[in-house]
Amino acid sequence: MEPLLTVENLRIELTTRDGVAPVIDDLSLSLNAGETLSFVGESGCGKSMTALALMGLLPEKVGRVASGKILFDGEDLTQATPRRLREIRGNEISMIFQEPMTSLNPVFSVGEQIAEAIRAHQNLSRTAAWDKAVELLDAVRIPNPKGRAVDYPFQMSGGQRQRAMIAMALACEPKLLIADEPTTALDVTVQAQIFDLLTDLQKQSGAAIILITHDMGAVAEMARDVIVMYAGRKAEYGPVDAIIEHPRHPYTQGLISCVPHIVSDMSEERPDLVEVPGIVPSLKDFGRDQCLFASRCAHRTDECLAGRPPEKHFGASQIADCWHAEAL
Amino acid sequence: MQFLLTTSKRVFYAIVLLVAVLVLNFSLMHLAPGDVADTISQSMGGADQELLDQIRADYGLDQPFVVQLGRYIGGVLTFDLGFSFFYNMPVTELILQRLPATLLLVLSAQLLALVVGVLLGVMSARKPNGITSHFVTFLALFGYSAPVFWTGILLLIGFSLNIQIFPVAGMQDVTIEGGFWVHAWDIFMHLMLPMITLASIFLALYSRLSRATMMEVLGSDYVRTAKAKGLSQNQVVYKHALKNALSPVITLAGLQFSAVISGAVLVETVFSWPGLGTLAFQSIIARDTPTILGILFFSALVVIVGNLLTDMALRLVDPRLRGR
Ligand SMILES: Nc1ncnc2c1ncn2[C@@H]1O[C@H](COP(=O)(O)OP(=O)(O)OP(=O)(O)O)[C@@H](O)[C@H]1O
Ligand code: SF4
Ligand SMILES: [Mg+2]
């Protein structure tokens, strides 16, 4: 089967005061329809940038796709016209953002904001779109959806707002849903509910999901594959089971050892990634020809500082970018 | 219900404020040297002490201050602002004659400044290094530094004397004959220069502020959400961003209402616009106390009504303010 999404050697550059830096360097991945791929990694490693690049929403004048391809349904999105991207956004690919408190427009009712997403892509009358918005609010389990549709975002809790965002993202039944840390800003009980909701909705709609998260429990539960990112590069990529079973990259090992009970009881507690000791390199160092994790790595040798670590393959599809992956 | 309650509360405060303004104005005028009796005697070519006393007794000016104040406020409550001896007619009537001209000027200038200012602000926020952006900076500099009468005279020389597009002064050409639209067009042409002159002061202010707020709003999360829905650029900018950027501009416009009215005094004088401004100017020269007081009262009234309207407009654009 042809994958729904294939990213080939994607390089995204940001222009900052210190010059041009590759915030995403040589990233490749593929995702089949209906499956879930998870992104994990420390703050600032470029997860959101990847998501925005898929949406064609890199910050204007600052970020650009320098090279590589984003093939969605066979179409290269890096070459698509702005008009074509608008057709795709919110329709075939949609996105849920990290901050539910600020991601909804404060001066329009929630129902209007959802209905607007429908009207943007479907030839529906105002009332028909509104009715569909109410149905969607019902589908994301907001009680009394008819009454709540006329509410403004400030009248809703964080969890309800994120549900409304999910309703908006699913309005046009997208083939791909990108969820960028959908629960980071919410409290723990609500987090579990949102993940359950996403799982259920995925079963119903058959959408593929890219889940960016710090919640290793959610990764283990929801995703088939995981990409561990470090400083704009892939550290390890492969099936979640295989990687939890035997992580090959020292950074992945550090992440997983921080949550020892992850395999035993995943659904009871939801352990977040704890920081591996040491400091992440700053953006301007992202392009250096060495292993960027070296300053924090216990297994470092001279080789690691001399060049970029090569891809090493394990099993069917586990890949680790580390000079010494076999030994680990 | 909530809306009615808050509105009536505000109206009540507004009335209290108006009475305070009345008391203050009246007291200040009372402290100033000279009174109506002087004005009358001057217009008669001078009078002796006996006649002055007679006039003062006739108009109750020999009464204690508090009694005079009470009478005046009582009069105002029944829309009686006294009698102007200079114009020889009741002040209320005099002001109501002039008020429409001033309202037309003030409101159209505010509207022009707001619409053009916000549009310029939005355009320059979308392209911070574009030509509109530099134009706004230049305009702001000009607006802040050029005195309004100078701008007015410059426009007069340019567009009524050198290039004769607009009439030089006044509000209507009495020699014109025709139906409603002919007269409306005539007034519109007379209005252009004074309106632009008055608007120029505030245009700069509004465009600067809307550029700043718009730039902030365009970088906000909900604008990114709007783009992520696949909306067009114009929908994102003019629907999602603009409605959020409007509140501060409307607030500022409300605060500027009193400044617009004082600006109108100058502009009306430059263009001989037959409104309250020219009336104020003339009555101050003539020391026509009842008229001055009446104009001050009406200016306060216009400012207060303007603020009430601002409040309502804010509620309209920002649901978070409703029910407060
Ligand atoms: N508009 C921007 N201009 C310049 N640099 C930016 C901009 N947005 C992000 N960056 C930089 O790009 C890098 C990657 O940011 P990104 O938002 O993708 O991180 P992330 O992995 O999503 O982190 P988090 O977990 O905190 O969301 C960071 O170093 C950040 O400072
Ligand atoms: S390449 Fe070297 S420094 Fe980098 S993670 Fe592997 S062992 Fe550590
Ligand atoms: Mg992020």
Side-chain angles (χ1 to χ4, degrees):
Chain A
M1 188 175 70
E2 181 81 353
L4 175 69
L5 176 74
T6 314
V7 173
E8 289 173 8
N9 309 101
L10 184 67
R11 179 183 170 94
I12 302 171
E13 289 177 352
L14 287 188
T15 311
T16 62
R17 258 170 284 137
D18 302 327
V20 178
V23 65
I24 289 295
D25 202 352
D26 198 22
L27 179 72
S28 299
L29 60 88
S30 77
L31 174 63
N32 290 330
E35 282 181 359
T36 302
L37 167 68
S38 192
F39 268 73
V40 295
E42 269 157 319
S43 190
C45 70
K47 303 183 299 291
S48 296
M49 281 297 151
T50 314
L52 291 175
L54 295 179
M55 295 287 286
L57 285 178
L58 285 173
E60 270 168 54
K61 299 210 178 78
V62 177
R64 68 182 193 102
V65 174
S67 60
K69 283 182 183 164
I70 299 172
L71 295 169
F72 178 76
D73 250 355
E75 182 179 357
D76 188 358
L77 298 187
T78 62
Q79 304 300 320
T81 61
R83 192 200 158 108
R84 175 70 189 133
L85 282 173
R86 274 203 301 278
E87 275 172 21
I88 293 173
R89 279 203 285 271
N91 191 20
E92 289 174 61
I93 306 180
S94 49
M95 184 160 172
I96 308 167
F97 296 96
Q98 209 162 336
E99 309 83 7
M101 302 316 269
T102 51
S103 291
L104 287 165
N105 195 323
V107 302
F108 294 104
S109 72
V110 169
E112 161 63 16
Q113 294 186 57
I114 299 172
E116 187 185 35
I118 301 167
R119 291 202 308 269
H121 300 289
Q122 293 172 9
N123 206 359
L124 283 184
S125 72
R126 278 189 167 265
T127 44
W130 181 268
D131 290 344
K132 193 161 174 208
V134 173
E135 271 171 40
L136 283 159
L137 284 175
D138 191 36
V140 295
R141 300 180 202 145
I142 287 187
N144 179 24
K146 217 175 184 131
R148 298 312 300 268
V150 294
D151 277 358
Y152 290 90
F154 77 96
Q155 293 164 306
M156 293 189 154
S157 69
Q160 285 170 331
R161 290 186 206 191
Q162 197 60 300
R163 282 165 196 270
M165 281 295 295
I166 294 175
M168 190 189 297
L170 293 176
C172 297
E173 287 155 24
K175 293 181 194 158
L176 174 60
L177 175 67
I178 304 171
D180 187 0
E181 303 190 32
T183 60
T184 305
L186 305 174
D187 62 53
V188 183
T189 46
V190 183
Q191 291 186 359
Q193 293 168 6
I194 296 285
F195 281 128
D196 289 346
L197 178 66
L198 280 175
T199 315
D200 287 357
L201 292 173
Q202 181 178 30
K203 271 186 205 131
Q204 287 163 29
S205 67
I209 294 183
I210 289 181
L211 177 67
I212 299 172
T213 181
H214 287 160
D215 186 336
M216 282 306 275
V219 173
E221 212 171 283
M222 290 186 64
R224 202 191 75 132
D225 293 334
V226 62
I227 295 186
V228 180
M229 297 283 297
Y230 188 81
R233 298 181 196 166
K234 152 186 104 235
E236 194 156 2
Y237 175 31
V240 177
D241 300 340
I243 288 182
I244 287 181
E245 172 91 14
H246 190 167
R248 295 285 181 166
H249 194 285
Y251 179 57
T252 321
Q253 290 178 346
L255 288 182
I256 291 177
S257 69
C258 290
V259 279
H261 46 284
I262 184 168
V263 196
S264 52
D265 55 354
M266 292 177 298
S267 48
E268 292 306 312
E269 260 177 74
R270 291 176 173 271
D272 274 7
L273 295 183
V274 184
E275 287 222 346
V276 178
I279 303 161
V280 204
S282 70
L283 189 55
K284 66 178 191 310
D285 293 326
F286 275 26
R288 282 160 74 176
D289 277 324
Q290 62 164 75
C291 174
L292 295 176
F293 188 61
S295 63
R296 301 164 74 182
C297 183
H299 308 280
R300 179 188 59 224
T301 60
D302 289 345
E303 223 172 359
C304 308
L305 295 170
R308 292 183 185 227
E311 280 190 351
K312 304 253 169 101
H313 292 252
F314 301 90
S317 47
Q318 184 177 357
I319 308 171
D321 288 24
C322 169
W323 282 106
H324 306 300
E326 300 94 337
L328 293 165
Chain B
M1 191 54 225
Q2 184 68 39
F3 179 74
L4 275 180
L5 202 76
T6 43
T7 311
S8 47
K9 229 196 254 169
R10 264 157 213 279
V11 170
F12 174 73
Y13 288 144
I15 291 170
V16 172
L17 190 62
L18 263 182
V19 172
V21 166
L22 270 180
V23 173
L24 197 69
N25 286 346
F26 192 84
S27 315
L28 281 175
M29 276 299 171
H30 197 83
L31 287 176
D35 59 9
V36 176
D38 293 325
T39 319
I40 297 173
S41 68
Q42 261 168 30
S43 67
M44 297 190 312
D48 57 10
Q49 192 57 42
E50 206 177 320
L51 190 55
L52 277 175
D53 287 343
Q54 179 62 42
I55 296 170
R56 292 206 168 100
D58 283 352
Y59 292 105
L61 298 173
D62 54 348
Q63 302 285 319
F65 168 71
V66 183
V67 177
Q68 292 187 39
L69 177 65
R71 274 195 197 159
Y72 185 72
I73 292 178
V76 171
L77 291 180
T78 55
F79 297 103
D80 176 11
L81 291 167
F83 192 85
S84 163
F85 300 98
F86 184 72
Y87 291 97
N88 206 17
M89 65 198 300
V91 172
T92 312
E93 200 177 305
L94 183 62
I95 287 179
L96 287 180
Q97 258 177 25
R98 302 293 197 99
L99 187 64
T102 294
L103 281 182
L104 180 65
L105 176 63
V106 165
L107 293 179
S108 61
Q110 268 279 46
L111 197 70
L112 180 74
L114 265 175
V115 172
V116 177
V118 167
L119 278 178
L120 285 178
V122 171
M123 285 194 283
S124 54
R126 290 176 82 170
K127 288 204 172 74
N129 290 318
I131 182 138
T132 336
S133 196
H134 293 303
F135 178 67
V136 166
T137 313
F138 169 77
L139 196 76
L141 206 65
F142 185 83
Y144 289 138
S145 48
V148 60
F149 55 85
W150 183 78
T151 316
I153 291 170
L154 210 68
L155 284 175
L156 261 183
I157 295 173
F159 296 101
S160 338
L161 300 178
N162 286 349
I163 315 169
Q164 298 175 354
I165 311 175
F166 299 111
V168 182
M171 181 170 154
Q172 286 189 62
D173 187 344
V174 283
T175 59
I176 278 187
E177 288 192 18
F180 172 79
W181 289 111
V182 177
H183 285 286
W185 176 251
D186 180 43
I187 291 180
F188 177 74
M189 291 304 273
H190 279 85
L191 177 64
M192 275 319 250
L193 290 185
M195 175 176 74
I196 293 172
T197 308
L198 186 53
S200 74
I201 320 173
F202 305 98
L203 187 65
L205 216 55
Y206 299 155
S207 59
R208 290 276 298 209
L209 182 66
S210 41
R211 177 168 72 173
T213 46
M214 199 64 186
M215 280 175 69
E216 192 188 316
V217 168
L218 282 177
S220 69
D221 289 342
Y222 52 80
V223 163
R224 192 182 53 188
T225 306
K227 288 182 192 161
K229 279 193 237 183
L231 300 184
S232 70
Q233 280 287 336
N234 283 338
Q235 271 175 309
V236 171
V237 172
Y238 289 99
K239 183 176 173 186
H240 282 266
L242 185 57
K243 201 173 173 199
N244 280 280
L246 274 183
S247 301
V249 183
I250 292 177
T251 310
L252 180 69
L255 291 174
Q256 290 297 322
F257 240 100
S258 48
V260 180
I261 289 182
S262 43
V265 175
L266 292 173
V267 174
E268 286 185 8
T269 312
V270 171
F271 291 94
S272 313
W273 187 258
L276 287 181
T278 23
L279 185 65
F281 185 68
Q282 287 158 357
S283 51
I284 288 169
I285 302 272
R287 300 184 9 126
D288 184 0
T289 317
T291 309
I292 300 174
L293 277 178
I295 291 171
L296 288 177
F297 169 73
F298 261 87
S299 316
L301 192 67
V302 171
V303 169
I304 287 171
V305 171
N307 283 341
L308 280 176
L309 290 177
T310 310
D311 235 68
M312 274 152 73
L314 277 178
R315 272 152 215 274
L316 216 61
V317 297
D318 193 341
R320 285 165 295 188
L321 295 176
R322 288 174 213 158
R324 244 194 240 161

